[in-house]
Amino acid sequence: MEKLSKEAFRQIDRKQYGYGMKDTGVTQIMKIGIAFYKKQVELVYRMDSE
């Protein structure tokens, strides 16, 4: 699951999901990659700021 959560996180960067938010004046973006299976969950996160 750790591998999947990291891949979800990389997808956020690769597809630049936060790009449009920066145009509106947002200076901090929390990126979170989550993978889950039944009651187990794995997540990775990072705060990006300009």
Side-chain angles (χ1 to χ4, degrees), residues 11-42:
Q11 179 180 339
I12 294 169
D13 287 334
R14 190 171 55 249
K15 295 195 175 195
Q16 299 180 352
Y17 290 138
Y19 182 76
M21 295 172 65
K22 290 183 179 182
D23 291 343
T24 63
V26 174
T27 59
Q28 290 187 327
I29 298 173
M30 179 178 280
K31 298 177 180 179
I32 304 171
I34 302 172
F36 59 91
Y37 178 74
K38 296 185 180 183
K39 293 185 177 185
Q40 296 178 338
V41 66
E42 180 80 31

